[in-house]
């Protein structure tokens, strides 16, 4: 599967692209951003907040909780981290690849307009990306705030660092965030919530 995914275009991949992509993404995605001339120059985090209703019916907004940081700690501390340690990062990549637009209130620093030359977004892939991220947000919210979660929201933060040659001129680089709309939580089992808690301590 990996060979077909990274190989140049060929008839075999063309016939089974959806199967190959479905196997590889989001957990085993391949890219060359570790190497020159364009190594990764940004740090991305996924944050989640929720609306929670208590036993009296009173609803409150929670603060943001970072679900990427515990995953990164697991990856950095292990030669063979489990798949659950890549959930938030994989979900964020899916949202980017699927061109899922953040909400209007998002404070993205760049305002890019689509051009006629850009490919149209695939609505099936967009739906898959949103469902994946909703599940992540639901697990994170339920693990943190319990069964009273009524709505969840995701924020993606990006910290783009300057290239090494420009580090003195550009300082710490540029920070931006994108907020997505409020989503209803998806059904998750108590066992799934327990596994999430164990992986994100």
């Amino acid at each position: 599967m990996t060979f077909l995914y990274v190989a140049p275009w060929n008839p075999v991949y063309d016939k089974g692209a959806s199967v190959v992509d479905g196997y590889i993404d989001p957990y085993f995605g391949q890219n060359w951003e570790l190497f020159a001339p364009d190594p990764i120059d940004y740090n991305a985090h996924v944050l989640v907040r929720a609306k929670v209703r208590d036993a009296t019916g009173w609803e409150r907004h929670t603060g943001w909780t970072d679900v990427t940081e515990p995953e990164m700690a697991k990856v950095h501390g292990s030669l063979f981290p489990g798949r659950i340690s890549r959930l938030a990062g994989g979900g964020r990549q899916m949202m980017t690849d699927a061109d899922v637009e953040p909400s209007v209130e998002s404070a993205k620093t760049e305002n890019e307009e689509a051009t006629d030359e850009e490919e149209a977004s695939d609505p099936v892939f967009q739906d898959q990306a949103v469902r994946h991220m909703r599940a992540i947000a639901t697990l994170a919210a339920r693990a943190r705030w319990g069964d009273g979660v009524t709505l969840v929201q995701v924020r993606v933060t990006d910290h783009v660092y300057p290239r090494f040659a420009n580090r003195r001129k550009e300082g710490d680089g540029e920070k931006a965030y994108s907020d997505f709309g409020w989503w209803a939580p998806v059904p998750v089992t108590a066992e799934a919530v327990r596994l999430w808690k164990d992986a994100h301590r």
Side-chain angles (χ1 to χ4, degrees), residues 8 43 115 165 177:
N43 193 3
T115 66
Y177 69 89

Side-chain angles (χ1 to χ4, degrees), residues 15 128 130 132 169:
K15 280 192 175 280
Q128 183 183 18
V130 170
H132 183 83
K169 289 186 289 185

Side-chain angles (χ1 to χ4, degrees), residues 87-105:
L87 281 175
R92 183 254 181 209
Q93 191 61 52
M94 282 182 75
M95 297 284 278
T96 302
D97 292 346
D99 293 326
V100 177
E101 291 293 327
S103 63
V104 178
E105 299 82 17

Side-chain angles (χ1 to χ4, degrees), residues 162 165-172:
N166 299 328
R167 68 193 183 282
R168 288 192 171 81
K169 289 186 289 185
E170 298 182 19
D172 291 336

Side-chain angles (χ1 to χ4, degrees), residues 72-96:
M72 290 173 68
K74 296 265 185 188
V75 170
H76 293 162
S78 172
L79 290 175
F80 304 103
R83 282 190 185 190
I84 201 167
S85 299
R86 303 179 186 189
L87 281 175
R92 183 254 181 209
Q93 191 61 52
M94 282 182 75
M95 297 284 278
T96 302

Side-chain angles (χ1 to χ4, degrees), residues 23 25 53 100 104 115 119 128-129 141 155 161 163 172 189 192:
Y23 180 85
D25 288 327
R53 183 175 292 129
V100 177
V104 178
T115 66
E119 289 184 27
Q128 183 183 18
R155 167 177 286 179
Y161 299 97
R163 290 298 185 189
D172 291 336
T189 65

Side-chain angles (χ1 to χ4, degrees), residues 124-158:
V124 175
F125 186 36
Q126 283 187 328
D127 181 62
Q128 183 183 18
V130 170
R131 283 189 289 113
H132 183 83
M133 191 58 91
R134 278 179 64 200
I136 289 169
T138 301
L139 286 168
R142 285 277 307 281
R144 180 79 185 259
W145 297 295
D147 295 339
V149 171
T150 58
L151 292 172
V152 293
Q153 187 179 27
V154 168
R155 167 177 286 179
V156 173
T157 66
D158 291 297

